[in-house]
Amino acid sequence: MPANILVVEDEPAIQELLALNITQAGHNAIRALSVEIAQNLMREMTPDLILLDWMLPGMNGLEFARKLKSEAHTKEIPIIMLTARGEEYDKVRGLEVGADDYVTKPFSPRELNARIKAVLRRRAPQMTDDPIELRGLRLDPITHRVTGNQTHIDLGPTEFRLLHFLMSNAERVHTRSQLLDKVWGDRVFVEDRTVDVHIRRLRNALAISGHEDLIQTVRGSGYRLSVQHT
Ligand code: CA
């Protein structure tokens, strides 16, 4: 699943380079030249990750990171700080306000992509393209193939995303509204029972290899994918 990565950088050439890297890594780049523009964009969408330059006109990156990490609806968004400074003191300050990682300019595209991948893997595992295997059920995000004990399992796009999310966050219980946020997108209007419909389809598809019992209904809460028998 591609991640929406917000790039807040005031130098157009660097912004262009960052956006190009992000696109080549298979993600979507959303660009802002200032914190003010970033804040306007964030009224309409919640990015999966923010690449945030330190030195910006108006509010600087450090202040913006502090603000994002202090507000309930934005504090979970991972932040990678970008800066021309390489001093240990600045690095510590960036991490102190809650930034997840730090990249010093000039950066190599490889290093940047590795850091983006590492942060996404930690904070939003379903955004990376690593294959996942649990109890013989294997999902490969690159080829979009799902197999259960080597048997091909045919899934629709929504069931695929749903399974990817549940496998990336195994053993955790998710409410229907959390699943709507994470799998359907947070501004989409869909009814809660839509989730039940897709869970049912997913279970039916997984029954071919006997993996349907991995998807458990947690009464009064929601759903979880678990490899432990209850
Ligand atoms: Ca700058």
Side-chain angles (χ1 to χ4, degrees), residues 9-11 53-56 105:
E9 165 63 75
D10 60 317
E11 286 159 70
D53 187 29
W54 185 302
M55 299 300 283
L56 291 164
K105 290 190 252 181

Side-chain angles (χ1 to χ4, degrees), residues 146-153 208-209:
V146 178
T147 52
N149 304 324
Q150 275 92 53
T151 304
H152 174 71
I153 296 174
I208 193 171
S209 59

Side-chain angles (χ1 to χ4, degrees), residues 6-9 32-43 45 47 49-71 73-75 77-81 93-94 97-99:
L6 176 61
V7 181
V8 191
E9 165 63 75
L33 289 163
S34 68
V35 168
E36 199 187 353
I37 296 168
Q39 285 175 315
N40 281 331
L41 288 167
M42 286 176 67
R43 289 198 185 98
M45 53 83 68
L49 172 73
I50 302 176
L51 286 188
L52 182 56
D53 187 29
W54 185 302
M55 299 300 283
L56 291 164
M59 187 189 283
N60 72 40
L62 192 68
E63 288 170 60
F64 188 39
R66 187 180 289 125
K67 188 169 185 294
L68 291 169
K69 293 295 178 183
S70 69
E71 289 172 15
H73 65 291
T74 53
K75 70 173 197 286
I77 305 171
I79 298 173
I80 297 178
M81 296 289 301
R93 276 174 72 201
V97 300

Side-chain angles (χ1 to χ4, degrees), residues 137-188:
L137 180 66
R138 187 173 199 279
L139 179 145
D140 186 337
I142 293 175
T143 59
H144 256 248
R145 275 178 72 89
V146 178
T147 52
N149 304 324
Q150 275 92 53
T151 304
H152 174 71
I153 296 174
D154 200 19
L155 292 181
T158 304
E159 286 72 38
F160 182 87
R161 288 203 308 276
L162 186 57
L163 182 63
H164 193 186
F165 178 77
L166 291 171
M167 287 181 83
S168 307
N169 298 278
E171 309 303 332
R172 276 187 245 166
V173 180
H174 310 280
T175 64
R176 288 170 179 78
S177 70
Q178 282 167 341
L179 289 172
L180 284 175
D181 274 2
K182 303 291 183 184
V183 178
W184 277 260
D186 57 354
R187 298 294 197 278
V188 178

